[in-house]
Amino acid sequence: MSRVYNFSAGPAVLPEEVLAEAAAEMMDYQGCGMSVMEMSHRSAPFQKIIDEAEEDLRDLLSIPENYKVLFLQGGASQQFSAIPMNFSAPKNGVADYIVTGQWAKKAFQEAGRFITANKIATSEDSTFSYIPDCSDLPISDNADYVYICENNTIYGTKFHTLPNTKGKDLIADQSSCFLSEPVDVSKYGMIYAGAQKNVGPAGVVIAIIREDLVPAEDLPTVPTMLQYKTQVDKKSLYNTPPCYGIYICGKVFKYLKKNGGLAEMKARNEAKAKILYDAIDESDLFSGTVRAQDRSLMNVPFVTGNPDLDAKFVKEAAEAGLVNLKGHRSVGGLRASIYNSMPAEGVQALVDFMRKFELENK
C-alpha cells in the first residue's frame, strides 16, 4: 500500500527517513538483540538514547545552560494542572491567561481549580479567529506568570509577536509549533509541547524550564509525579518514561539537525503555507477562517460555507490519498495541518485537488 498525505493535526506525519530507521532497528537496536520497546529504561543503551536526545534538542534550540529539559508523560493537558501547582500555588496563587483557543481555555479553567486565574485577553468574541493586541495588557501586579498557547491547532492562529508581560515570566504551550522555527528560549520561563504534532508519537511531553522556577523544596500538596522537582532530580527517569517515544523524538532531532536546523524548517514551512494560503485566497469556493496577519504556518483551517460540501470534500480527498482534512469536531469545516514533515509535494497535491474539486462543484 502506498503512503497517503496525512494532514492530521496529531498524531501527525513523521519523516519517512525516521520511520525507516526505526523499522530497521525494530528487532535489534544497534546490536542489543532487542527493540527499544523492550529495553530497560535503566540500561546503558537507553541512557545514551535519552542523553543524546537532550543534547540534540539543546543544540537545535540553543537552550541556555540554566534551563532544564524534561521528557514527561500525561499529555500537554496534564501540564494545565502541573503549571499552576508548581509555579503559582506556592507563591502568590495568581496567574494571568491569554485565551486564544480551546486549549488555552482549558488551561485557564484548570488553573482556576488551584489558583486565581485571570483572563486578561481573549479572542473568543470572534470564534478565536485572531490574536488580540498584547502590547499593553492589564498584567496583574501579583501574577506569578503569564500563560499563552502560542499556536492554536483548532483555530489556526499564531502569536507572531510575544505578549508584553511587563516583566512576568511567560509560559507557553508550543505543542503545535514546537521546532517549526527558531525560538529564543530565554524569553520564556517555560516552554512545553506534546510531541505528537511535530516531533514524535503521542505519549511524550517535552518541557524546557528555567531552573530558578523549579521549586527547591518538596510541595506537600502536589502529587509527587506532578512536581517538576521530582522530574528534574531524576532527569526524567523517576519512573518508567515513554521510552520508545523518546527514542523516536531523538531520531527526529537528528533529522532536523541534518536537514538545516530550525532556520531551514521555518523557510520550508513558510513556503508550504504560502502555497496553500494563496490557493485559498484565490478561490471562489474556499475561504480561510483566520485574520491574515495571525495565520499559523502549521494548521490551516478553511471552509466552503456548506457543511455538506465540506463533507464531500473530505470524502473525495481521502479517496485521492489526502487524509485527515476534516476540521476539529468543535468547529467543523476543513483543516490541513502541514507540520515540518509534510513535504511540499503533499501541499501541492492538496492544492491541485482543491482546484479540481472547485471546478467540479461550482
Side-chain angles (χ1 to χ4, degrees), residues 67-349:
Y67 281 74
K68 300 296 186 182
V69 173
L70 300 174
F71 296 96
L72 306 173
Q73 302 179 66
S77 296
Q78 185 164 278
Q79 302 309 303
F80 299 168
S81 302
I83 286 166
M85 293 171 81
N86 280 266
F87 297 149
S88 186
K91 299 178 183 177
N92 296 324
V94 177
D96 290 345
Y97 281 68
I98 301 170
V99 178
T100 53
Q102 187 74 1
W103 305 117
K105 184 177 181 179
K106 287 188 174 184
F108 165 70
Q109 292 171 335
E110 188 68 11
R113 297 166 61 92
F114 309 103
I115 62 171
T116 299
N118 300 313
K119 186 193 299 183
I120 59 170
T122 184
S123 53
E124 199 164 4
D125 62 318
S126 185
T127 322
F128 300 121
S129 61
Y130 69 98
I131 297 294
D133 181 4
C134 295
S135 60
D136 187 19
L137 296 167
I139 304 292
S140 305
D141 290 340
N142 59 344
D144 296 307
Y145 60 84
V146 176
Y147 181 101
I148 62 171
C149 180
E150 196 159 331
N151 187 94
N152 294 285
T153 318
I154 295 174
Y155 299 95
T157 58
K158 170 74 162 64
F159 281 84
H160 295 293
T161 301
L162 293 179
N164 177 7
T165 65
K166 300 180 181 177
K168 302 296 184 180
D169 290 315
L170 178 64
I171 295 178
D173 175 355
Q174 288 190 357
S175 291
S176 52
C177 61
F178 191 60
L179 300 185
S180 65
E181 59 184 26
V183 167
D184 183 351
V185 174
S186 68
K187 291 183 178 179
Y188 303 81
M190 176 183 180
I191 293 168
Y192 74 93
Q196 71 274 13
K197 300 176 184 295
N198 239 340
V199 186
V204 182
V205 177
I206 297 167
I208 303 168
I209 309 173
R210 203 176 68 235
E211 61 186 5
D212 65 285
L213 292 180
V214 179
E217 304 296 332
D218 179 73
L219 303 175
T221 62
V222 181
T224 302
M225 278 291 292
L226 295 188
Q227 294 194 43
Y228 294 126
K229 182 181 187 300
T230 300
Q231 305 296 342
V232 167
D233 287 349
K234 297 299 183 181
K235 299 182 178 180
S236 303
L237 294 171
Y238 172 77
N239 69 327
T240 307
C243 297
Y244 197 79
I246 294 169
Y247 156 77
I248 297 294
C249 289
K251 286 194 173 294
V252 171
F253 300 156
K254 290 184 185 299
Y255 169 85
L256 294 175
K257 289 177 68 176
K258 187 172 71 173
N259 284 272
L262 302 190
E264 175 63 19
M265 290 303 112
K266 181 180 181 182
R268 293 184 188 183
N269 290 327
E270 288 176 337
K272 290 186 299 185
K274 186 177 189 307
I275 292 170
L276 183 50
Y277 282 123
D278 283 353
I280 292 170
D281 292 341
E282 293 165 3
S283 172
D284 293 325
L285 176 63
F286 301 102
S287 58
T289 61
V290 175
R291 188 169 68 176
Q293 62 264 41
D294 299 324
R295 285 171 164 175
S296 166
L297 298 179
M298 299 284 95
N299 310 102
V300 183
F302 56 104
V303 295
T304 65
N306 181 328
D308 291 336
L309 202 54
D310 289 346
K312 182 180 181 184
F313 178 87
V314 170
K315 179 178 182 295
E316 293 184 4
E319 292 169 353
L322 309 166
V323 304
N324 290 315
L325 285 162
K326 185 177 180 180
H328 190 270
R329 61 186 179 277
S330 65
V331 294
L334 308 164
R335 175 181 56 179
S337 293
I338 51 175
Y339 300 123
N340 284 349
S341 300
M342 171 57 65
E345 294 81 4
V347 178
Q348 188 60 57

Side-chain angles (χ1 to χ4, degrees), residues 43-60:
S43 67
F46 184 75
Q47 188 65 58
K48 183 179 179 184
I49 288 171
I50 195 170
D51 287 346
E52 285 189 5
E54 177 175 343
E55 180 181 349
D56 288 335
L57 180 60
R58 285 185 175 277
D59 286 347
L60 280 167

